[in-house]
Amino acid sequence: MRTQIAAANWKMNLTLQEAQTLLDNILKQTDNIGENRKVIFAVPACYLTVANEKIANTSNVFVAAQNVYSKKSGAFTGELSVTMLKSINVNYAVIGHSERREYFNESNQFLADKVKICLEENITPIFCCGEALPVREVNQQNDFVTRQLEESLFSLSAEEIQKVIIAYEPIWAIGTGKTASSDQAQEMHAHIRTQIGRKYGEAVADGISILYGGSVKASNAKDIFGKPDVDGGLVGGSSLIADEFVPIIKALK
Ligand code: PEP
C-alpha cells in the first residue's frame, strides 16, 4: 500500500509558545502512528529547528518547510535554500502552495526548478496543484491540473518523480469551509494518477502518494481518506487545533 500521510500546513500562524504547546499536545496523543503512515508538520521557517527537536524521539513524524528557493545559495535576501534545510535536518518542503502561486506569482516553470533542486538535495517536495473556482465552473479542472503536472513535474525522470508527494488542493476549497466531495477528490486523484501513468507507467503512478487538501476536518477526513486514490491530506486550519488534527491523523487508511 502507498504511504498514507497527514500533513499539517500551519501557514503564517502561531507564536513560538503556541506552536510548542500545539506540537506537544498532538504528539502526546499520537505516539503510535503505525507502519506505512507519516505525519508531517509544515511549520513557519523560524520554528523548523524547534519542531525538529520536539519530534526527535518519535517515529514516522517529520517536519517540512513551507517553501524553499530555487537556488542553493547567493544574493537572495529573505529566501531559504535546500542546503540550509538539509543542514538543519529538514527533509520535506511544500512546493507550489496556491497561496504562493497567487500572492508571490510562482509559475509552473519556477516550481519545476524548486522541485528539481529539492530532489538534488534529497528533500521530498510536497507538490501542490489544483484549480480555482472559475476553472471548475467551466469543467476545465482536469486539463488545468494536467498542465500543472506537465510543466512542473514531467521533466523529472521516473526515479525522481517517485520521490515526490503530490497534494491536490482545489483553491475554492482552501480555507473556505467548502470541501470537495469525496467523489470529486477521488475523481481528480484518479485523473492525476492516470496522467502520471501515461507518462511514467502504471507501476510508478501506483506508488505515488496523492494527498487531498481543502477544508479537511475531523468530521470529513474518514470519508475523503477512504477513497482509493486519496492517500491522506494536506491540512491547513484544522491542523492548528489538536482536537481536529489528531482525529485526522487517526482517519488515515
Ligand atoms: C492548505 O492550506 O493547504 C489547506 C488545505 O487549508 P485548509 O485546510 O484550511 O483549507
Side-chain angles (χ1 to χ4, degrees), residues 2-225:
R2 287 182 289 272
T3 309
Q4 304 296 302
I5 301 168
N9 177 13
W10 285 357
K11 312 192 187 195
M12 197 178 72
N13 290 301
L14 308 173
T15 63
L16 175 61
Q17 291 69 28
E18 288 166 344
Q20 287 175 306
T21 305
L22 177 61
L23 211 42
D24 284 340
N25 215 339
I26 294 169
L27 292 176
K28 82 173 177 239
Q29 296 180 67
T30 51
D31 55 351
N32 189 8
I33 287 158
E35 286 223 354
N36 213 40
R37 297 199 188 115
K38 284 183 182 173
V39 177
I40 303 175
F41 292 94
V43 306
C46 52
Y47 306 155
L48 285 167
T49 309
V50 172
N52 243 351
E53 281 164 14
K54 291 248 174 237
I55 62 155
N57 295 319
T58 61
S59 50
N60 300 347
V61 183
F62 305 89
V63 164
Q66 295 177 9
N67 180 33
V68 74
Y69 197 52
S70 59
K71 301 270 191 292
K72 285 195 180 163
S73 66
F76 303 103
T77 303
E79 292 295 334
L80 198 66
S81 78
V82 284
T83 318
M84 293 170 186
L85 293 183
K86 212 63 207 178
S87 74
I88 56 167
N89 209 19
V90 169
N91 297 307
Y92 293 83
V94 177
I95 301 293
H97 191 279
S98 61
E99 288 149 18
R100 298 226 45 101
R101 291 175 185 265
E102 185 179 347
Y103 305 136
F104 302 97
N105 297 319
E106 296 195 355
S107 66
N108 289 342
Q109 186 47 55
F110 185 47
L111 297 174
D113 293 344
K114 290 189 177 199
V115 168
K116 190 90 191 155
I117 208 160
C118 280
L119 293 170
E120 276 173 30
E121 214 45 66
N122 274 326
I123 288 174
T124 301
I126 302 170
F127 174 78
C128 303
C129 56
E131 80 288 353
L133 191 56
V135 176
R136 180 151 290 254
E137 281 172 344
V138 292
N139 203 27
Q140 288 300 305
Q141 65 273 12
N142 286 2
D143 288 349
F144 185 88
V145 170
T146 300
R147 185 151 177 218
Q148 291 181 317
L149 299 173
E150 284 175 348
E151 295 186 357
S152 297
L153 298 184
F154 284 8
S155 58
L156 299 174
S157 68
E159 197 189 324
E160 286 172 326
I161 199 163
Q162 291 179 75
K163 297 177 185 157
V164 176
I165 296 167
I166 295 175
Y168 168 60
E169 300 206 305
I171 297 169
W172 45 274
I174 296 180
T176 58
K178 260 189 221 156
T179 319
S181 69
S182 54
D183 287 339
Q184 283 173 317
Q186 166 58 26
E187 202 175 286
M188 178 57 85
H189 284 224
H191 172 74
I192 292 171
R193 211 176 292 291
T194 302
Q195 298 315 305
I196 299 169
R198 183 173 60 79
K199 169 82 180 165
Y200 295 99
E202 230 176 273
V204 170
D206 271 351
I208 294 182
S209 298
I210 308 177
L211 317 185
Y212 168 80
S215 299
V216 173
K217 309 185 254 283
S219 58
N220 60 23
K222 195 120 204 150
D223 178 33
I224 298 170
F225 297 173

